[in-house]
Amino acid sequence: MAAAPKIQLDVVTPQKLAYSEQVDLIEGPAIDGLIGILPDHAPLVTAMQIGVVRVVKDGEEIQIAISEGFMEVQPDRINLVVRTAELPEEIDIERAEAAKERAEEKLEKGHDKVDFAKAEAAYDRALARLKAAGHQDHGYDRL
Ligand code: ATP
């Protein structure tokens, strides 16, 4: 039987190559909604938003927390270029919990539009990290 087709996924940040593997599929938060990519996908470029990328590799699933960036897809490869990316084992849960609390306080106070948007983005980053690290909470449905 022929091996199942794979697609090369590179997740790149300004600091590092966060992930580079041949995978079965990915699903992640494109700017206009969740997008799934399988091998042989048509070429595309899309902006990405803060959230969790689900990667299936050899039948196993891992989740990568990302912040904003873009994704370029070719039939045999995906380049995901984002400001930050963390694998579950890299995520400092206490730090994310603290960031979530700080953002919540700012959201409660927030009068200024810019500050509110910044706090909302910080909140989403914290939620994405907690979700990717496997912390279950109904509040994460937001992402
Ligand atoms: P914080 O307020 O805790 O710094 P943040 O969302 O403002 O959170 P970012 O600016 O998105 O942080 O990220 C700065 C750097 O720190 C990036 O390299 C990112 O990967 C890393 N980082 C942020 N939060 C965490 C975390 N909880 N666990 C591991 N790495 C993190």
Side-chain angles (χ1 to χ4, degrees), residues 18 20 22 24 27 35 50 73 80 91 103 108 115 123 128 130 142:
S20 179
Q22 291 270 315
D24 304 320
E27 192 180 73
I35 186 172
I50 296 164
V73 177
L80 187 53
I91 293 169
E108 276 163 23
D115 285 350
Y123 184 74
L130 292 169
R142 175 177 158 73

Side-chain angles (χ1 to χ4, degrees), residues 83-86 90-92 95-96 99 102 125 129:
R83 196 179 60 77
T84 66
E86 300 95 31
E90 295 168 337
I91 293 169
D92 178 336
R95 177 175 168 181
R102 278 197 309 277
R125 289 196 298 276
R129 287 171 179 136

